[in-house]
Amino acid sequence: MAVVELRDKREIAEVCRRNAALHAYELGDLDDFFWPHTRWFGWRRGAETRQIVLIYGEPEPPVLVALADEPHGEMERLLHALLPELPARAYAHLMPHLVEIAAARYDVASHGLHLKMALPPDRAVDGHPGDVHLLGPDDLAAVEAFYRDAYPGTWFVPRMLETMRYVGIRDGGRLACVAGVHVHSPAWGIAALGNVATLPSHRGRGLASAACASLCALLRVDGIDTIALNVKADNLPAIRAYERLGFDVVAEYVEASLVARDDGRAGGVPPT
């Protein structure tokens, strides 16, 4: 077995499509819009790549994604082998059993258990076109002002508005609710919802459900087969709302901030 850096999109997609709902973000990042910001590593046995680790370099710190397919032990060996080559700081999405591997090099500050949820390809969602408006680059100032009030610290990159897959609901001309995407790729049939928020003064009215329903309906028109999202495991109101829209839980994972220690303990490919 060997650790290899990958640049063949088809090879990466073949691995990720074994569980598209789990690897929706990785599949979306194969799109030309995101691809320049990515580095990919795989665990290869013979001619077959068995596991994938992604480093996404936008924004700072970079995002490390290590979501294990069976057998999980191969991902443990891959992540351990990669530790010396990984960034000194990262925001990680890790299967829970991989946190201990990361701790061999990093101080780990957990941001809690999260769920990956997905909308099955054959499950339709009805939109709310009368209430929901499409947002684009011209709405940047309004969107940034909205997130300052509704979702401070959210992972939002302004160029994502170029996808034209952000939607909003206004009240008196002001954005009261926004739902968008973290990845969007009709070419790969994948989208992941993100940056969903409602102003505190407008919560409890079903605005986020309406915005997400309309966005999912729009993504279906794009030809998106797999629509996924991430949500904190303790955010029960959001989970229930997504379940009502038709989303199913597909996996648990941990989000964590990683800061490397210069302790010399990490490194080397472990024995197989």
Side-chain angles (χ1 to χ4, degrees):
M1 292 187 180
V3 177
V4 293
E5 184 162 2
L6 307 170
R7 292 307 290 176
D8 185 330
K9 291 184 179 183
R10 292 171 297 179
E11 179 181 4
I12 297 166
E14 181 179 351
V15 178
C16 294
R17 280 179 171 154
R18 295 171 193 163
N19 190 342
L22 176 65
H23 296 294
Y25 277 72
E26 296 99 303
L27 283 166
D29 287 335
L30 295 175
D31 194 274
D32 291 344
F33 188 83
F34 307 100
W35 177 256
H37 303 280
T38 63
R39 291 187 71 190
W40 305 83
F41 298 89
W43 186 253
R44 185 171 287 165
R45 173 184 286 175
E48 182 185 10
T49 302
R50 302 287 291 266
Q51 303 281 354
I52 293 286
V53 167
L54 165 64
I55 301 172
Y56 187 81
E58 181 191 38
E60 288 291 336
V63 178
L64 168 68
V65 180
L67 302 173
D69 291 303
E70 295 288 355
H72 285 180
E74 292 182 350
M75 176 59 86
E76 293 173 8
R77 292 191 288 272
L78 172 58
L79 185 60
H80 189 286
L82 285 174
L83 285 180
E85 311 303 325
L86 296 178
R89 293 176 178 267
Y91 190 91
H93 291 198
L94 302 169
M95 290 298 211
H97 69 283
L98 297 175
V99 174
E100 184 177 353
I101 303 295
R105 180 188 176 197
Y106 293 98
D107 290 326
V108 179
S110 175
H111 300 292
L113 189 67
H114 287 64
L115 304 179
K116 285 192 169 289
M117 304 184 72
L119 186 68
D122 59 352
R123 199 167 293 170
V125 173
D126 295 326
H128 299 262
D131 302 321
V132 182
H133 304 274
L134 199 61
L135 303 174
D138 291 344
D139 298 293
L140 176 59
V143 171
E144 289 185 324
F146 166 81
Y147 283 131
R148 283 195 296 271
D149 293 334
Y151 198 174
T154 188
W155 192 89
F156 172 69
V157 178
R159 75 187 188 97
M160 291 304 298
L161 290 174
E162 297 173 21
T163 65
M164 299 302 295
R165 290 301 175 261
Y166 271 68
V167 299
I169 298 174
R170 291 185 170 89
D171 182 9
R174 182 189 183 194
L175 285 170
C177 177
V178 171
V181 292
H182 280 159
V183 295
H184 173 255
S185 177
W188 295 95
I190 288 288
L193 304 190
N195 293 318
V196 179
T198 304
L199 288 176
S201 58
H202 288 67
R203 290 172 186 167
R205 305 183 190 180
L207 299 185
S209 293
C212 287
S214 291
L215 181 55
C216 288
L218 185 61
L219 294 171
R220 287 290 192 232
V221 173
D222 290 342
I224 301 296
D225 295 321
T226 301
I227 302 173
L229 59 87
N230 299 334
V231 60
K232 287 202 71 172
D234 62 0
N235 190 350
L236 298 183
I239 293 168
R240 286 194 292 267
Y242 291 131
E243 288 175 336
R244 286 194 295 270
L245 289 173
F247 284 79
D248 297 326
V249 174
V250 297
E252 295 181 345
Y253 75 100
V254 173
E255 293 192 8
S257 296
L258 308 181
V259 179
R261 299 187 307 274
D262 187 15
D263 58 13
R265 288 193 295 163
V269 179
T272 60

